[in-house]
C-alpha cells in the first residue's frame, strides 16, 4: 500500500504490484570522434524515474464504486510533486506526480489499472533525517549512517558576524566562505541542494545571502565518516551550527 501527500490509500484500493527500477535511467555524456575507436566519456547523471503501481479498486455497490473513483482522483490530482511513501519502506519518501493515462479496466463494481508516478528527483529521502549539531567553531568528525549515496545538506548557522568577519565551512571535498553581516538572532542558511544561501530574520523574513559567498562550492556529505571544519576570522563568532543531512537512497 502507499501514502501520497499524507493520504493513506489503504482503505480505498488494493496494490497488486509496484515496479521500482534497480537504478534510475543512467544518462551518459559522451562524444565520438572519427578515427578514434570508442567514445570519450565526460560524465554520468541519474535521470528521472517513473514508478508504476498496479491497483484494484472495488466497492459493494455501483454508486459506491463511482464515488470511490472520484474521491481517489481528487487525492491523486496534484499540481506539483508530493511525498510518496510505500508501506514496505515506511522510513523513506520520494517526491512524485501522477503522469500518463490512468485508465481502468472496469467490470460493474471493480476496476483494475496502473498508476504512474513521475519522480523528477529519483532519490528516496529519510523521513526522520540525521541532524548534527556543532557548538561553535572547530573541527568535527561525524558519521552519516542513513542512505546509500552522497547527500546535499541544509546548514543553519547562528552567531554574529561584523564587517571584518568571515565564517568558512569546509568538508573533505568542499570549502565555502560567507563574508556578509549576521546579527544576533539571525540564522544563516546554506542549502546545498538548491545551491542558495539566505538569512532568516527574527520576524520570519528572508534576505538573500548568495552574493556574500566567495564561491558556489556547497558542502556535500558522503555515507559513513565525514569531517567538517568551521572556521571564523576577524569580527565573527559562531554560536551553533545545525546540519540536516538530507540522507537519501537511489
Amino acid at each position: 500500500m502507499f501514502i501520497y501527500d499524507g493520504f493513506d490509500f489503504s482503505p480505498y484500493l488494493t496494490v497488486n504490484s509496484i515496479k521500482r527500477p534497480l537504478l534510475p535511467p543512467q544518462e551518459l555524456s559522451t562524444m565520438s570522434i572519427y578515427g578514434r575507436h570508442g567514445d570519450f566519456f565526460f560524465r554520468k547523471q541519474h535521470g528521472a524515474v517513473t514508478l508504476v503501481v498496479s491497483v484494484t479498486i472495488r466497492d459493494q455497490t455501483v454508486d459506491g464504486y463511482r464515488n470511490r473513483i472520484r474521491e481517489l482522483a481528487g487525492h491523486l490530482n496534484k499540481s506539483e510533486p508530493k511525498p510518496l511513501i510505500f508501506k514496505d519502506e515506511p522510513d523513506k519518501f520520494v517526491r512524485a506526480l501522477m503522469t500518463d493515462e490512468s485508465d481502468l479496466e472496469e467490470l460493474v463494481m471493480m476496476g483494475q489499472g496502473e498508476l504512474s508516478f513521475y519522480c523528477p528527483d529519483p532519490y528516496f529521502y529519510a523521513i526522520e533525517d540525521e541532524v548534527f549539531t556543532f557548538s561553535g567553531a572547530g573541527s568535527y568528525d561525524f558519521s552519516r549512517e542513513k542512505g546509500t549515496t552522497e547527500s546535499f545538506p541544509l546548514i543553519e548557522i547562528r552567531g554574529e558576524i561584523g564587517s571584518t568577519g568571515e565564517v568558512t565551512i569546509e568538508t573533505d571535498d568542499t570549502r565555502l566562505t560567507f563574508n556578509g553581516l549576521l546579527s544576533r538572532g539571525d540564522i544563516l542558511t546554506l542549502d546545498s541542494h538548491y545551491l542558495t544561501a539566505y538569512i532568516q530574520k527574527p520576524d520570519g523574513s528572508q534576505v538573500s545571502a548568495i552574493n556574500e559567498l566567495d564561491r558556489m562550492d556547497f558542502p556535500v556529505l558522503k555515507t559513513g565518516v565525514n569531517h567538517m571544519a568551521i572556521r571564523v576570522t576577524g569580527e565573527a563568532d559562531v554560536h551553533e551550527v545545525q546540519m540536516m543531512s538530507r540522507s537519501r537512497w537511489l
Side-chain angles (χ1 to χ4, degrees):
M1 306 307 286
F2 64 91
I3 298 172
Y4 183 52
D5 194 22
F7 182 79
D8 189 349
F9 283 75
S10 302
Y12 297 87
L13 52 77
T14 300
V15 173
N16 303 317
S17 65
I18 303 173
K19 297 178 182 178
R20 283 169 282 191
L22 180 63
L23 284 173
Q26 305 296 286
E27 299 177 352
L28 305 181
S29 177
T30 63
M31 177 182 290
S32 60
I33 298 177
Y34 179 76
R36 182 188 184 277
H37 299 292
D39 293 335
F40 284 106
F41 171 77
F42 296 108
R43 66 190 301 268
K44 182 192 82 168
Q45 67 182 26
H46 299 301
V49 67
T50 298
L51 307 178
V52 180
V53 182
S54 174
V55 300
T56 299
I57 306 168
R58 57 168 57 90
D59 202 277
Q60 299 299 317
T61 66
V62 174
D63 288 344
Y65 172 74
R66 297 315 314 172
N67 290 334
R68 177 165 298 198
I69 292 295
R70 297 302 181 193
E71 184 175 355
L72 289 175
H75 287 293
L76 289 169
N77 182 32
K78 307 297 177 181
S79 58
E80 61 184 20
K82 297 294 183 179
L84 173 63
I85 303 169
F86 295 113
K87 289 197 172 180
D88 58 353
E89 290 188 296
D91 60 334
K92 306 174 183 68
F93 73 91
V94 64
R95 295 180 180 89
L97 183 70
M98 282 284 293
T99 185
D100 297 331
E101 297 181 3
S102 49
D103 294 334
L104 294 174
E105 295 181 6
E106 296 182 317
L107 180 61
V108 189
M109 295 172 291
M110 184 182 75
Q112 290 185 325
E114 292 184 338
L115 307 178
S116 297
F117 289 97
Y118 172 71
C119 307
D121 180 352
Y123 293 93
F124 281 76
Y125 290 86
I127 292 177
E128 294 185 5
D129 199 7
E130 292 178 296
V131 179
F132 300 95
T133 301
F134 311 113
S135 55
S139 295
Y140 302 93
D141 292 316
F142 59 96
S143 182
R144 231 195 78 206
E145 302 298 335
K146 294 185 177 182
T148 56
T149 187
E150 64 183 15
S151 69
F152 300 103
L154 182 75
I155 300 174
E156 295 182 344
I157 301 172
R158 294 168 172 83
E160 297 173 71
I161 303 174
S163 58
T164 64
E166 292 183 345
V167 58
T168 298
I169 303 293
E170 186 174 352
T171 65
D172 296 311
D173 302 310
T174 67
R175 184 177 184 275
L176 185 64
T177 297
F178 172 79
N179 55 20
L181 298 176
L182 192 68
S183 303
R184 180 179 293 274
D186 290 350
I187 302 174
L188 170 62
T189 300
L190 305 175
D191 192 328
S192 296
H193 179 77
Y194 292 104
L195 297 178
T196 191
Y198 53 88
I199 295 174
Q200 302 176 61
K201 294 293 184 178
D203 63 2
S205 62
Q206 292 184 359
V207 179
S208 175
I210 199 71
N211 292 329
E212 282 73 50
L213 302 180
D214 68 334
R215 65 191 75 184
M216 299 294 287
D217 192 17
F218 282 80
V220 177
L221 301 183
K222 304 176 296 185
T223 55
V225 177
N226 288 262
H227 173 78
M228 174 173 284
I230 305 166
R231 301 189 178 92
V232 296
T233 58
E235 189 183 353
D237 183 25
V238 171
H239 304 154
E240 180 184 272
V241 176
Q242 188 175 78
M243 178 171 60
M244 283 65 77
S245 301
R246 285 180 170 153
S247 301
R248 59 185 191 168
W249 294 258
L250 280 172

